[in-house]
Amino acid sequence: SNSFPLEIAGQPNLTLYGAHAPHKVYTQAAVRELVHYAKIRGVKIVPEFDQPAHVGAGWQWGSGEQDRLAVCVEKDPWHANCVQPPCGQLNIANDAIYPILGDIYRSMLDVFDDDLFHMGGDEVDFRCYNSTPEIVAFMQAQGWGRDRDSFMRLWDYFQTRSYTELESVSNFFNFLAILWTSDLTSQEYIRQYIDPAKYVIQIWTRSNDPIVKFLIENQYRVIFSNVDALYLDCGYQAWIGDSGYNWCSPYKTWQSIYENSPYRIYAAAAGQAEADDALRAGLLLGASAPLWMEQATEESIETRFWPRGAALGERLWSDPQSTGVHEATVRMVNQNHRLIQRGLQTDGLQPEWCWQHENKCTTQG
């Protein structure tokens, strides 16, 4: 929500109004180069455009009372209108936003050239819409109330129209969209509004959330990003408020990441036979460790990710079922030294003496 830095063909106002500075823009040429660099190394970059919330920056140019593209933009007090500052949500009652979304999708898919697209859906705040006259008038015109069910219908109206725009510009026959877990993907509403043939659900809640079992039993493909193990920005100082740690503390260690097996999580919830079935059916797509950037900088990002990313890599790619953290420690330490030798700014795991004296820095016999 703090920036719109991506150049979009046909919509120069998005970066003109949304980038922090003219030089803080990702050009299409730069992104193409990055996507190519990754692809020839076997890495897929999946784009995400979070919507309809977290969109204040970049949409201010449609600012008339009757044609606002975004509402609640930087509205105060922020805590009465959104989860974190600055506020801003798409004016989903304004027909003008949907062609713009089509341009965004077209431009992003042209650059990223992939059959996956993350549509966000994170932290939509109904308080914002409930205080916006044109949204309230739109809901009344549809014969809807202003209760939770009615706001869910409003959200579905937006999600359906935005997905239609996305699908219309995609060149892929088996195109899939990704959504974060939210009210829209809850047990109460998901079967009514979200088609498992069209969407993948990315789970950010805790690993013991009943939604895990529910989603897979209802044939939804899932990606695990459960906050109790995989959020890499946790455990630092709070950036909202005066003191203490940020909301998802404590810090997620490489050990907790390594032990966070999507297969084991689902097996614990539903049984091993069911987990085997889910694997065979392609419902357990894997995991992703988010590193949100509110408090990370260009200088610190490598330290935040490495070597914890290596623990995630072994768990997802080889997923050894018979070994745990103790057996993985030697591999992790050696891998970390390879990263250091390659010039990465990786965090430390052990004193160098431990690396030189294998298995001496352990409490196990």
Side-chain angles (χ1 to χ4, degrees), residues 287-300:
S288 172
L291 174 50
W292 303 114
M293 295 298 291
E294 286 95 338
Q295 295 174 276
T297 65
E298 190 175 347
E299 292 74 24
S300 67

Side-chain angles (χ1 to χ4, degrees), residues 16 67 83 95-96 114 128 135 139 155 183 189 240 264 280 304 308 311 314 329:
L16 179 65
D67 61 353
V83 176
D95 287 336
D114 200 80
C128 165
I135 296 288
M139 295 178 70
W155 191 352
D183 287 344
Y189 294 106
I240 297 176
R264 291 179 187 171
R280 283 191 291 267
R304 297 279 177 98
R308 292 185 290 175
E314 177 164 305
T329 298

Side-chain angles (χ1 to χ4, degrees), residues 29-106:
V31 178
R32 286 184 195 278
E33 181 180 355
L34 180 62
V35 170
H36 175 72
Y37 181 92
K39 184 175 291 187
I40 62 177
R41 290 163 174 81
V43 176
K44 178 196 293 256
I45 298 180
V46 178
E48 176 181 356
F49 175 59
D50 198 7
Q51 57 195 318
H54 293 296
V55 298
W59 299 83
Q60 303 94 322
W61 50 282
S63 57
E65 185 67 26
Q66 299 305 315
D67 61 353
R68 289 191 292 180
L69 299 174
V71 296
C72 303
V73 177
E74 298 187 15
K75 190 172 181 179
D76 286 324
W78 67 265
H79 47 78
N81 295 278
C82 58
V83 176
Q84 67 182 51
C87 298
Q89 296 187 174
L90 288 176
N91 185 0
I92 58 186
N94 185 353
D95 287 336
I97 70 166
Y98 297 99
I100 299 172
L101 289 176
D103 287 341
I104 293 172
Y105 301 149
R106 183 182 297 105

